[in-house]
Amino acid sequence: RVDRRQRQMCIRDRFMNHNYSFSEFSRQSSKGVLVIYGDILLKIVKQTWVLFFLFVSRISEISEVQSTYIYIGVFVVFMFSLGRAYFSYRNFKFKIVDHHFVLKKGIIKKTNTSIAFDRIQNINFKQNLIQQFINVYGVSIETAGSNKTEIVIKALSHSKALALKELISSVAVSSETSQEQQKPLLKIKIGELLKVSLTENHFRSLLVLIALLIGFFQQIEHVLEGLGRKEFLDDYLNQSTEAVLGSILLIVVLFLGVVIVSIFSSFIRVFLRHFNLVLFVKKEAFEINQGLLTKKSVVLKKQKVQSITVSSNPFKRWVGISYVVFKQAMSGKMKNKKDKVIKIVGCEHDQINLIKNHLFDSDQLDASQKHYTDSYYKTRILFLTSIILLVINSSIFLIFDILYVLYITLLLLPLCYFLIHKKIKKTFYKISTNLLLVGKGLVDTHHTYFQLFKVQNVTMKQTIFQQRRNVVDLILQTASGKIRIPCMPSKNATEIYNHILFNVETSKQSWM
């Protein structure tokens, strides 16, 4: 009763710190109609853009009467969308009562949602171009048990959004200027973003670029085919292909051009997403602000963080940066679990230590011994790799009767052995009284830190081949997913198993 009374007094005090009372149902800003209308039109465009190209390609075959009907249909869709946006705005109401966020929404199918503050994992504040233009903020509230964002508010004024943030997350923010005067824990500048973009996976950007070009040429081909000029495109492509293949210099220039474009696209993507990345430390939460065209602000409760992973690759280590991933509890039914992953890029070693020390005492791992997997793990990987290479080479030889592929495989064997050796060296664990560090990786290196009392269950698995070597796989289930330590000696696995169960049973700390 005393705790509940104190919470109610705290809520009442927060109500008095701003001019907004959330105890009664209130609506979004009236500008929210424009935001909702824009979202509806954007979804329509994404689903019907192919029809636009089809209309352009067949425009010469469409009669004047048919064109009139098409324009009328487009006008009706626009007006229907506007009406839907208005009624969505009118029926969207929310309030805060008894430490719960209550939401009513819906036009025909109406829903009533109530979420306790204790279930909230993080609060996201976002401003896309439309929201920046009309000076409103979008707010989304996420919980652990749902496979999607449960609360999405399209448009709130700046002061009302800050008041809602303070009330829900217990993060005291009075104004934007006060936040600017507060010293951030870390701030990623443009120089660090340039390092991040240069050390990204440019092969992925290259594949995306190629896919976009193929899709673009297919659409151009359909349009020119509708206009009766498809032969013009075929002749142009044939001439360009012959000219490129006939000159080594052009091939080199084209290759360098594609590489430069992929690097530039990586920089643009990193710059737009992580521009002005700043991490503030509040009483019980982190606040992460970033973005250029779409500004995002995430309030992440420290208590809800299940684990953090520090990752890098050889290029990132060379320039002295890594990135940190915060992992939270998530639903197993979520299709895209990356939606709930919060990442801070371009962190230096000292900045990573600051983040770890605000979540747990990471220094206790310094005195712990680093344990590697049993040699059986390397034998198993070498055996599986040999089987895969044998199957691939045998299939190629039997189908295509190409013998020189075997010589290529002989050249790849040293590379495979080198990568396996690196994987074995990166697979380790360190355990202390309350913390566990698990390392893994092949080209990239990933170090995962988590507190032992947040483990939900522990499983030891052993195959018939592992029984002969007396090794087991230790699997730790957390609210954010599984963490596997392969091929541990059975004695060590049993000790860790008992140690984790002791921590879980005796700890009084809350992890949700």
Side-chain angles (χ1 to χ4, degrees):
R1 292 180 180 178
V2 175
D3 293 340
R4 183 176 181 181
R5 189 177 303 159
Q6 290 177 348
R7 286 203 309 265
Q8 291 175 347
M9 292 176 62
C10 183
I11 293 174
R12 186 171 64 250
D13 292 339
R14 291 183 206 156
F15 274 130
M16 297 174 63
N17 290 335
H18 47 71
N19 298 323
Y20 298 99
S21 175
F22 295 101
S23 58
E24 301 294 334
F25 278 112
S26 62
R27 292 190 177 93
Q28 308 174 69
S29 170
S30 57
K31 301 175 182 178
V33 177
L34 296 177
V35 180
I36 299 172
Y37 185 50
D39 287 344
I40 294 175
L41 292 181
L42 184 60
K43 290 179 182 178
I44 294 175
V45 170
K46 288 181 178 179
Q47 295 173 359
T48 61
W49 63 272
V50 177
L51 297 178
F52 172 76
F53 281 99
L54 183 62
F55 172 74
V56 173
S57 63
R58 305 293 181 182
I59 192 170
S60 59
E61 303 175 7
I62 298 176
S63 64
E64 185 176 350
V65 176
Q66 291 175 329
S67 300
T68 303
Y69 284 127
I70 291 175
Y71 293 139
I72 293 175
V74 171
F75 176 77
V76 170
V77 170
F78 272 78
M79 295 306 298
F80 175 80
S81 301
L82 180 60
R84 180 183 174 186
Y86 175 75
F87 286 109
S88 296
Y89 159 76
R90 290 291 300 177
N91 295 336
F92 191 99
K93 302 176 183 179
F94 64 93
K95 69 176 180 179
I96 294 176
V97 58
D98 195 20
H99 224 56
H100 283 69
F101 187 95
V102 181
L103 171 67
K104 289 184 177 181
K105 65 177 182 177
I107 301 176
I108 298 176
K109 180 182 178 181
K110 297 186 178 182
T111 59
N112 192 340
T113 305
S114 178
I115 300 178
F117 285 4
D118 294 338
R119 284 188 56 211
I120 295 175
Q121 283 200 137
N122 54 276
I123 305 110
N124 304 319
F125 292 80
K126 184 177 70 172
Q127 263 193 320
N128 56 31
L129 288 177
I130 297 177
Q131 290 167 330
Q132 292 181 47
F133 181 74
I134 62 179
N135 195 25
V136 294
Y137 285 75
V139 182
S140 61
I141 299 173
E142 296 181 352
T143 63
S146 177
N147 59 356
K148 62 181 181 179
T149 303
E150 291 189 294
I151 305 294
V152 178
I153 304 175
K154 298 290 185 180
L156 286 179
S157 63
H158 179 238
S159 56
K160 195 169 185 177
L162 290 179
L164 186 64
K165 176 193 295 187
E166 177 183 351
L167 193 59
I168 295 179
S169 62
S170 302
V171 176
V173 181
S174 58
S175 65
E176 188 173 356
T177 56
S178 66
Q179 189 185 73
E180 291 176 354
Q181 293 173 358
Q182 181 184 359
K183 185 178 180 181
L185 181 67
L186 64 87
K187 183 175 183 179
I188 306 301
K189 300 179 180 179
I190 296 180
E192 281 73 22
L193 291 182
L194 180 61
K195 293 179 182 179
V196 173
S197 62
L198 291 176
T199 56
E200 284 287 282
N201 186 355
H202 301 300
F203 181 72
R204 180 181 59 185
S205 300
L206 182 61
L207 292 179
V208 173
L209 178 62
I210 293 174
L212 290 175
L213 289 176
I214 292 175
F216 175 75
F217 276 113
Q218 287 178 346
Q219 297 300 331
I220 293 296
E221 184 178 6
H222 289 316
V223 172
L224 292 179
E225 184 179 1
L227 298 176
R229 301 293 302 274
K230 185 175 182 299
E231 296 80 7
F232 173 78
L233 180 63
D234 294 336
D235 294 339
Y236 176 77
L237 291 177
N238 291 333
Q239 293 176 4
S240 301
T241 303
E242 292 176 359
V244 171
L245 294 178
S247 174
I248 298 178
L249 179 62
L250 284 177
I251 295 176
V252 174
V253 170
L254 182 62
F255 175 77
L256 292 177
V258 171
V259 172
I260 292 173
V261 170
S262 63
I263 294 176
F264 182 74
S265 63
S266 297
F267 175 75
I268 294 297
R269 175 171 51 83
V270 171
F271 187 78
L272 294 179
R273 181 179 300 176
H274 303 292
F275 175 75
N276 198 26
L277 197 161
V278 182
L279 172 65
F280 292 96
V281 178
K282 308 298 180 180
K283 183 179 180 181
E284 297 294 337
F286 290 129
E287 183 173 352
I288 305 167
N289 302 325
Q290 60 183 334
L292 183 61
L293 296 182
T294 300
K295 297 181 180 180
K296 294 183 178 180
S297 177
V298 179
V299 177
L300 175 64
K301 295 183 178 180
K302 298 179 183 178
Q303 175 187 347
K304 304 295 184 179
V305 177
Q306 299 300 307
S307 64
I308 65 169
T309 300
V310 180
S311 302
S312 64
N313 58 35
F315 298 106
K316 283 183 168 59
R317 288 194 296 272
W318 182 57
V319 298
I321 61 172
S322 303
Y323 64 88
V324 181
V325 175
F326 297 90
K327 294 184 179 180
Q328 305 174 87
M330 60 184 65
S331 171
K333 297 179 180 179
M334 182 176 293
K335 294 181 180 179
N336 189 5
K337 295 187 177 182
K338 293 183 179 180
D339 292 340
K340 287 197 174 184
V341 173
I342 300 173
K343 180 165 65 174
I344 300 180
V345 300
C347 296
E348 298 178 352
H349 180 71
D350 294 338
Q351 295 172 330
I352 293 174
N353 288 334
L354 287 175
I355 294 174
K356 291 190 295 186
N357 290 332
H358 275 85
L359 291 171
F360 40 73
D361 183 16
S362 61
D363 294 336
Q364 57 182 283
L365 285 171
D366 295 338
S368 302
Q369 183 181 357
K370 183 182 289 188
H371 299 272
Y372 293 94
T373 58
D374 189 82
S375 58
Y376 170 76
Y377 185 52
K378 184 175 183 178
T379 304
R380 186 175 70 180
I381 296 177
L382 285 172
F383 177 75
L384 293 176
T385 303
S386 302
I387 293 297
I388 293 173
L389 289 176
L390 179 62
V391 171
I392 293 175
N393 283 276
S394 301
S395 301
I396 294 176
F397 178 75
L398 293 175
I399 297 174
F400 301 102
D401 195 18
I402 302 176
L403 185 60
Y404 63 83
V405 174
L406 300 178
Y407 300 107
I408 298 176
T409 303
L410 292 177
L411 296 176
L412 291 176
L413 285 177
L415 177 62
C416 292
Y417 182 82
F418 173 76
L419 292 176
I420 292 173
H421 176 73
K422 296 295 290 184
K423 181 178 179 64
I424 299 300
K425 295 294 292 182
K426 292 180 180 181
T427 305
F428 69 92
Y429 70 91
K430 295 177 69 175
I431 188 168
S432 65
T433 305
N434 302 313
L435 287 177
L436 180 65
L437 165 62
V438 178
K440 67 176 184 178
L442 184 61
V443 178
D444 291 357
T445 302
H446 307 284
H447 291 169
T448 300
Y449 300 80
F450 66 95
Q451 294 165 293
L452 297 179
F453 72 91
K454 294 185 177 181
V455 175
Q456 292 183 324
N457 63 63
V458 191
T459 305
M460 291 190 293
K461 289 188 176 182
Q462 188 180 52
T463 65
I464 56 175
F465 303 103
Q466 289 176 317
Q467 289 178 358
R468 299 177 181 177
R469 299 293 297 268
N470 198 24
V471 296
V472 300
D473 292 340
L474 189 66
I475 302 173
L476 311 176
Q477 179 67 55
T478 68
S480 60
K482 293 181 180 180
I483 299 175
R484 179 187 294 267
I485 306 177
C487 296
M488 297 177 58
S490 297
K491 180 181 178 181
N492 294 352
T494 303
E495 292 176 354
I496 295 177
Y497 181 89
N498 294 328
H499 181 63
I500 292 176
L501 290 181
F502 175 79
N503 269 268
V504 172
E505 294 294 335
T506 59
S507 177
K508 298 181 180 180
Q509 301 183 62
S510 176
W511 56 271
M512 282 297 293

